[in-house]
Amino acid sequence: MSADHETTAAKDVEPRPSPFAPFRRRAFRILVAGQSLSTLGDMVYLVALPFVILGAGYATTGLSITLTGFGVARIVTALPGGALADRFGARPVMLGADLARCAALTTLTVAAVRGAPGLGHLVVTGIVLGACEGAHIPAYRSITPALVPDAELAAANSIGIAANLFANVIGPPIGGVLVALVAPWPAIGADAASFAVSALALLAIHRVPAPPERPAAAGSGSLLGFVRSSPLYRTVLLMTVVLGASVGGTLEVALPVLAGTRPGLGPAGYGWLMAALGIGMLGGGASAGALTHGRRQGPLVIAALAVNGGLLAALPHVGGLVPMAVTMAVVGALDGVLAVLVMTATQRMPPPRLLARAQGLISLVTFAMFPLSVAVAGLVLHRWSPAAMFHLTGLGFAAVAVCGLASRSLRRL
């Protein structure tokens, strides 16, 4: 082989980027730091919120109304938020959402310091937070491809998801300590401050370049046209619907009931199982970029779905806290890998002018499926047992894996 041929071949081999390569990008470092801090603040706030509402004498009805307002507002703004991000840029939408949330939480903090906030104030705050989160998420998911090269996108998503999951793990204990040692209002104020810092971080990102152009499929000039022209995106939507209609209810309803019926588990056991799930997700999300680089990702997605379905269906039949926790940790790890792979794939599918709207549609479906999943779990547990819900969720994963095998676009991903 000639030296010239060896040089040409070497140039054709794409160098493998480091899993930490995105950290070399100043704008990405600032983005991850700001968003992780605001997620930490959210987790602290979520612990304080029930104590603010219940302490004001509004009972569980007040908590239900506030959370319902949050959930409905989040669904309503997901698509408009994506459209605004596509029209005006992701950074202005994220900045506006952070400032609005900071203002809403600051007023609630002041009201909590002065005494019991009114129920109307709590509900309006919940609606503002939900509306801002619904608009923020598609904008956030659409900004990363503009800040890192495409070769580093999976690693960037892995870092971002892992950082947010870490905040999810450590935030509740911090919130619990603040509420227990001081009062709920410092936790609310901490969340307000986290959004202020996040807004400053976004201001420090001076310029966000446009994401790289990709060949657009015929008929993809609108969001509906893109959905019609992309079999792979439709497969992801189907996956979101099927899994979203079962997973939330399984973890939030069936699992605590199952733990309550098992000797030696109870509420503490449920807490340990959820902690194992979170630790597994953190590990899977953090390692996904490195583990999957250079491999075909479609078969990995299908395999992870199939294995997860089998593990969830088998969980009610696993005996003892430690084996159940190990099973949950593996489920979490696979979920973390799936989150990185699916997010990266959906960021690469649409043309840049539709990226935030495509992310907004996925967010809308995700948000809408959670209350449906909880309702389904309630019906299943009323008629059968917690194990039946786990079996149903396992069948859902299996069905999505089969659909993935039947999807040529996913197999070739």
Side-chain angles (χ1 to χ4, degrees):
M1 180 183 291
S2 68
D4 288 343
H5 185 77
E6 289 179 353
T7 302
T8 302
K11 289 180 179 178
D12 290 339
V13 176
E14 181 183 352
R16 176 174 180 171
S18 164
F20 305 104
F23 278 124
R24 296 197 298 260
R25 320 286 172 182
R26 173 184 176 274
F28 177 76
R29 293 197 306 270
I30 294 173
L31 176 72
V32 170
Q35 297 306 306
S36 301
L37 185 59
S38 66
T39 300
L40 177 63
D42 283 344
M43 294 300 103
V44 171
Y45 166 77
L46 284 177
V47 173
L49 179 63
F51 294 96
V52 172
I53 295 175
L54 298 176
Y58 301 122
T60 55
T61 302
L63 182 60
S64 176
I65 294 172
T66 302
L67 294 178
T68 299
F70 173 88
V72 171
R74 192 171 62 163
I75 293 171
V76 168
T77 58
L79 268 182
L84 287 172
D86 283 335
R87 175 66 178 85
F88 299 105
R91 191 177 74 131
V93 173
M94 296 170 65
L95 182 59
D98 281 349
L99 292 175
R101 286 182 285 188
C102 178
L105 288 165
T106 299
T107 62
L108 184 59
T109 302
V110 173
V113 170
R114 291 178 175 176
L119 181 58
H121 191 171
L122 290 163
V123 173
V124 170
T125 300
I127 291 172
V128 171
L129 296 181
C132 290
E133 181 171 312
H136 178 274
I137 288 178
Y140 170 61
R141 290 178 178 173
S142 69
I143 198 173
T144 305
L147 300 181
V148 300
D150 187 74
E152 298 175 7
L153 185 56
N157 286 329
S158 181
I159 292 168
I161 288 174
N164 282 328
L165 287 171
F166 182 69
N168 282 328
V169 170
I170 67 173
I174 295 173
V177 169
L178 283 174
V179 172
L181 297 183
V182 187
W185 67 262
I188 302 173
D191 197 15
S194 76
F195 284 117
V197 174
S198 179
L200 290 174
L202 288 168
L203 288 172
I205 302 175
H206 302 301
R207 188 178 69 87
V208 178
E213 287 289 342
R214 296 186 179 89
S220 61
S222 66
L223 179 61
L224 181 58
F226 165 69
V227 174
R228 288 174 173 170
S229 66
S230 176
L232 181 56
Y233 185 81
R234 293 198 301 273
T235 301
V236 171
L237 280 181
L238 175 64
M239 180 191 311
T240 305
V241 170
V242 174
L243 301 186
S246 59
V247 172
T250 300
L251 297 179
E252 301 294 338
V253 180
L255 183 58
V257 173
L258 177 67
T261 61
R262 289 285 185 89
L265 291 184
Y270 173 64
W272 283 112
L273 293 177
M274 292 301 290
L277 179 71
I279 292 170
M281 290 183 70
L282 177 59
S287 60
L291 293 176
T292 62
H293 180 78
R295 297 178 175 87
R296 290 179 60 188
Q297 299 184 359
L300 291 176
V301 170
I302 296 169
L305 289 168
V307 173
N308 248 3
L311 290 174
L312 286 170
L315 186 68
H317 311 289
V318 175
L321 176 59
V322 173
M324 292 180 74
V326 170
T327 303
M328 289 294 287
V330 176
V331 169
L334 292 173
D335 280 347
V337 173
L338 279 170
V340 173
L341 294 181
V342 172
M343 181 183 293
T344 304
T346 57
Q347 288 168 331
R348 288 170 171 162
M349 290 177 204
R353 65 182 181 279
L354 297 174
L355 178 54
R357 274 169 283 184
Q359 294 296 326
L361 181 55
I362 293 173
S363 297
L364 185 154
V365 172
T366 302
F367 299 153
M369 286 299 105
F370 180 78
L372 176 62
S373 173
V374 172
V376 168
L379 292 173
V380 170
L381 266 65
H382 178 74
R383 186 172 182 85
W384 293 289
S385 67
M389 188 64 195
F390 282 90
H391 298 158
L392 182 63
T393 301
L395 286 175
F397 272 87
V400 173
V402 170
C403 289
L405 282 172
S407 170
R408 182 183 179 189
S409 56
L410 182 57
R411 293 198 311 271
R412 298 177 63 183
L413 180 64

